[in-house]
């Protein structure tokens, strides 16, 4: 395993965030290196989840760590939702839309099947914030960003705020 790398996170409205991820055919060393880089990037950016799309890798890989100690990483490859029930609303943020927070309605409880880093099939039940995080990351892998759930007016405001941020960054550079 090469040294891990903190990768650049794409920011909304970057069109590359819209590219759908491809299924992972074989969970091999390069995939495990990608997972390591995603975890290092997620921890560095204080996120509790990250999808490969966000670092411009169109592969169906997501990582999460909701633990207090930040030492319980979860990796889901080619994740599929088998069942979902109930609804819950939660204030969401996104590492690709810094500074924007908004309520999003998602399923309360989900049952997920995926491959882990060893390429083994795993099934897990999730509810609460874990269910929200999995759905948020799986959206990224399908080219969806949580801003898409907001009203057209709010989306316009987010766009203006992000364009201002990107102009400021260019000015700084
Ligand atoms: O950008 C991302 O995909 C990481 C997301 C994951 C997430 C969003 C909403 C709700 C749960 C998870 C966040 O930026 S991680 C930051 C965060 C931390 C705690 C609660 C909400 C968001
Ligand atoms: Zn996000």
């Amino acid at each position: 395993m090469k040294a891990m790398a903190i990768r650049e996170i794409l920011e909304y409205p970057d069109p590359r965030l819209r590219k759908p991820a491809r299924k992972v055919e074989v969970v091999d060393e390069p995939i495990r290196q990608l997972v390591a880089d995603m975890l290092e990037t997620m921890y560095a950016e204080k996120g509790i989840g990250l999808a490969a799309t966000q670092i411009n890798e169109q592969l169906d890989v997501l990582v999460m760590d909701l633990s207090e100690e930040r030492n319980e990483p979860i990796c889901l490859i080619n994740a599929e939702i088998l069942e979902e029930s109930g609804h819950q609303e939660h204030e969401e943020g996104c590492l690709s839309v810094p500074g924007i927070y908004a309520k999003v309605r998602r399923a309360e409880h989900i049952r997920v099947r995926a491959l882990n880093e060893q390429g083994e099939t795993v099934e897990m039940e999730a509810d609460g914030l874990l269910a929200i995080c999995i759905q948020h990351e799986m959206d990224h892998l399908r080219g969806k960003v949580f801003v898409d759930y907001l009203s057209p007016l709010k989306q316009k405001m987010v766009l203006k705020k992000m364009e201002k941020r990107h102009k400021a960054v260019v000015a700084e550079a």
Side-chain angles (χ1 to χ4, degrees):
M1 167 88 72
K2 290 202 310 289
M4 294 191 281
I6 294 180
R7 307 278 294 267
E8 184 211 351
I9 293 182
L10 301 179
E11 291 197 354
Y12 181 86
D14 191 315
R16 293 170 293 178
L17 286 169
R18 299 307 184 179
K19 295 166 82 171
R22 297 182 311 280
K23 290 282 173 230
V24 169
E25 301 303 329
V26 183
V27 180
D28 53 15
E29 253 341 281
I31 294 292
R32 278 186 278 276
Q33 182 66 52
L34 171 64
V35 169
D37 289 355
M38 288 174 67
L39 282 168
E40 190 183 17
T41 303
M42 179 190 77
Y43 289 128
E45 301 296 330
K46 312 254 179 307
I48 58 174
L50 190 71
T53 311
Q54 293 178 273
I55 60 167
N56 195 24
E57 297 278 354
Q58 282 75 41
L59 285 166
D60 198 332
V61 180
L62 72 92
V63 297
M64 302 180 287
D65 187 338
L66 280 72
S67 68
E68 282 300 309
E69 308 290 312
R70 311 290 280 153
N71 59 357
E72 292 170 34
I74 300 173
C75 162
L76 297 179
I77 296 168
N78 299 343
E80 301 165 69
I81 293 182
L82 302 175
E83 291 159 22
E84 59 178 70
S85 61
H87 290 107
Q88 60 179 319
E89 272 212 346
H90 192 286
E91 177 96 336
E92 296 196 11
C94 180
L95 297 174
S96 295
V97 197
I100 303 292
Y101 297 90
K103 274 200 183 316
V104 177
R105 196 171 128 93
R106 295 190 189 271
E108 156 60 33
H109 177 92
I110 57 175
R111 185 172 179 67
V112 184
R113 178 170 51 216
L115 298 178
N116 63 15
E117 266 185 283
Q118 284 67 42
E120 298 150 345
T121 300
V122 293
E123 278 197 21
M124 64 187 288
E125 308 258 347
D127 41 31
L129 189 55
L130 180 60
I132 290 169
C133 189
I134 292 172
Q135 293 172 78
H136 178 110
E137 305 311 337
M138 287 182 70
D139 269 359
H140 274 302
L141 295 170
R142 287 193 297 263
K144 212 165 165 58
V145 182
F146 86 105
V147 178
D148 302 343
Y149 294 101
L150 307 185
S151 66
L153 185 67
K154 279 207 184 120
Q155 291 189 37
K156 248 203 293 288
M157 278 163 43
V158 172
L159 211 48
K160 257 186 26 221
K161 193 167 176 189
M162 293 307 291
E163 278 161 355
K164 220 164 95 204
R165 173 189 164 89
H166 294 146
K167 277 204 190 75
V169 167
V170 168
E172 248 171 54

